[in-house]
């Protein structure tokens, strides 16, 4: 197979050179060109026909978000948005995902050797994942200038019962932000604790959690180390940190910690799923959603072997079928369902006798 053709769009010559160098020894990736602004990028796109574009958000002449929307309406292709690790950068990155970007990545810290090595892994993996994703939609999402704000009022919660020791664990990667949003928006306001690992950079997960909290009936927050896992609350693993669940003095406590990449990721779905298997066993529900690679597969198998009910998103509704497929091939999945059917299955399962 021919290498994946990549176009790097960034106004910094140093960054363009660095990204090219990071990808230089990847046999399946070929940087076919670079561009310092969107206007030059258009010429390169027409001439070189890249498979994937990496796009800086902050650029002269035309900002990256505006350029992304033009790409999605005129010549849709996989775009990875690269943004600064700031609150403003994270907010723009979330808008980029809504506008059609297939993935986001934080600009690497090029002064740290360990960070450079991890950035090489992440950048190459994201390019491969973007290449294997389904064609982007030509429909540009409407900017979220006035999101539906949901008030969390415990006194008005729906009369739904579930086991007090139940817990739901979810893992996702490429395409997962929209899949998770769709899933959570369909849930009632009374649910067991929900722990989510979405492969996303540090500082971006806080914005993701805030956005979901505005849209969902459940409370959504970025997880904090040593906090209890409470009902009616969704916990998002912070970017660049693993998340696990432990039993501590008779209650379920969330652990957030640093560490090596696991399955080439931090946070890793496997870290969460393995802890849920050990801590919750048959009282847990595990869900693996769209994403490239095999993160979460062995963890889901461990959950299944401990009696948990496990669900994989089906191929038709995935942006990338890699993670669910790996879990299915390991025989760690109880049911394979389209994304639209997963919320109903989860709610029904919570009422089933164990």
């Amino acid at each position: 197979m021919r290498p994946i053709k990549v176009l790097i769009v960034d106004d910094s010559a140093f960054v363009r050179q660095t990204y090219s160098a990071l990808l230089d020894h990847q046999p399946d990736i070929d940087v076919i060109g670079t561009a310092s602004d969107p206007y030059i990028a258009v010429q390169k796109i027409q001439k070189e026909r890249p498979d994937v574009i990496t796009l800086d958000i902050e650029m002269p002449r035309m900002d990256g978000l505006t350029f992304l929307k033009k790409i999605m309406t005129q010549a849709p292709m996989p775009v990875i948005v690269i943004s600064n690790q700031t609150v403003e950068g994270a907010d723009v990155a979330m808008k980029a995902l809504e506008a059609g970007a297939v993935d986001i990545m934080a600009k690497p810290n090029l002064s740290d050797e360990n960070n450079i090595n991890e950035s090489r892994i992440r950048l190459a993996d994201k390019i491969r994942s973007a290449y294997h994703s389904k064609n982007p939609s030509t429909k540009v999402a409407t900017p979220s200038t006035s999101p539906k704000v949901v008030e969390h009022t415990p006194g008005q919660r729906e009369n739904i019962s579930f086991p007090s020791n139940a817990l739901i664990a979810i893992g996702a990667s490429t395409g997962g932000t929209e899949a998770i949003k769709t899933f959570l928006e369909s849930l009632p306001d009374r649910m067991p604790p929900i722990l989510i690992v979405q492969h996303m950079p540090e500082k971006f997960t806080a914005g993701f959690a805030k956005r979901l909290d505005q849209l969902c009936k459940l409370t959504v927050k970025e997880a904090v180390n040593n906090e209890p896992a409470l009902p009616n609350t969704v916990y998002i693993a912070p970017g660049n940190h693993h998340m696990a669940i432990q039993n501590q003095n008779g209650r379920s406590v969330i652990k957030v910690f640093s560490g090596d990449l696991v399955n080439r990721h931090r946070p890793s779905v496997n870290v969460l799923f393995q802890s849920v298997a050990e801590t919750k066993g048959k009282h847990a529900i595990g869900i693996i959603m769209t994403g490239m690679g095999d993160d979460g597969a062995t963890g889901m198998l461990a959950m299944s072997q401990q009696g948990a009910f496990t669900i994989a998103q089906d191929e038709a509704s995935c942006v990338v079928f890699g993670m669910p497929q790996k879990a299915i091939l390991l025989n760690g999945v109880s049911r394979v369902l389209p994304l639209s059917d997963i919320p109903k299955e989860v709610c029904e399962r919570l009422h089933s006798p164990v």
Side-chain angles (χ1 to χ4, degrees), residues 43-299:
Q43 299 173 11
K44 296 285 182 76
I45 290 170
Q46 293 173 342
K47 180 180 178 181
E48 303 290 348
R49 302 293 180 184
D51 298 311
V52 176
I53 296 175
T54 69
L55 177 63
D56 183 21
I57 284 293
E58 299 175 5
M59 288 188 298
R61 301 178 70 187
M62 181 191 299
D63 68 89
L65 189 58
T66 300
F67 181 50
L68 172 66
K69 292 176 181 178
K70 289 183 180 294
I71 292 174
M72 291 302 136
T73 54
Q74 297 173 14
M77 64 183 64
V79 176
I80 301 167
V81 165
I82 300 179
S83 179
N84 289 320
Q85 293 190 56
T86 62
V87 174
E88 294 77 12
D91 182 58
V92 174
M94 294 308 302
K95 291 178 181 177
L97 287 172
E98 293 176 350
V102 72
D103 211 337
I104 57 175
M105 180 174 172
K107 283 196 171 183
N109 176 9
L110 301 176
S111 62
D112 182 271
E113 186 64 30
N114 289 331
N115 193 279
I116 291 174
N117 290 332
E118 289 188 2
S119 296
R120 180 181 292 109
I121 293 171
R122 287 184 173 130
L123 181 58
D125 283 352
K126 285 183 180 296
I127 287 170
R128 295 183 186 106
S129 182
Y131 176 69
H132 290 287
S133 66
K134 295 175 182 175
N135 289 331
S137 170
T138 56
K139 180 182 178 182
V140 176
T142 303
S144 305
T145 52
S146 55
K148 174 185 67 178
V149 177
V150 178
E151 293 185 6
H152 307 293
T153 51
Q156 299 176 2
R157 294 197 184 280
E158 298 179 26
N159 186 23
I160 298 175
S161 61
F162 52 83
S164 60
N165 54 357
L167 183 138
I168 299 168
I170 300 173
S173 189
T174 306
T177 54
E178 287 301 304
I180 289 167
K181 179 171 78 73
T182 298
F183 172 76
L184 293 179
E185 283 183 317
S186 301
L187 295 180
D189 60 357
R190 184 167 166 78
M191 293 292 289
I194 300 175
L195 274 61
I196 299 177
V197 166
Q198 163 68 45
H199 295 157
M200 187 176 280
E202 190 173 10
K203 298 186 180 178
F204 290 60
T205 43
F208 180 46
K210 181 179 179 181
R211 171 65 177 151
L212 291 173
D213 189 60
Q214 294 174 322
L215 296 171
C216 305
K217 296 177 182 178
L218 297 163
T219 298
V220 185
K221 67 186 298 293
E222 189 178 53
V224 176
N225 187 40
N226 285 327
E227 70 176 320
L230 302 176
N232 316 317
T233 308
V234 180
Y235 300 90
I236 307 293
N240 204 35
H241 291 78
H242 295 303
M243 179 173 70
I245 189 77
Q246 291 183 357
N247 287 326
Q248 189 172 301
N249 298 324
R251 63 177 185 171
S252 297
V253 175
I254 296 171
K255 294 296 180 180
V256 174
F257 55 97
S258 187
D260 295 336
L261 299 181
V262 177
N263 292 97
R264 304 170 73 89
H265 293 285
R266 187 177 53 243
S268 165
V269 180
N270 260 340
V271 170
L272 173 62
F273 282 3
Q274 289 284 357
S275 72
V276 172
E278 296 167 7
T279 304
K280 290 293 182 178
K282 66 180 182 180
H283 304 294
I285 295 176
I287 305 169
I288 193 159
M289 294 181 172
T290 174
M292 184 80 174
D294 61 356
D295 190 26
T298 58

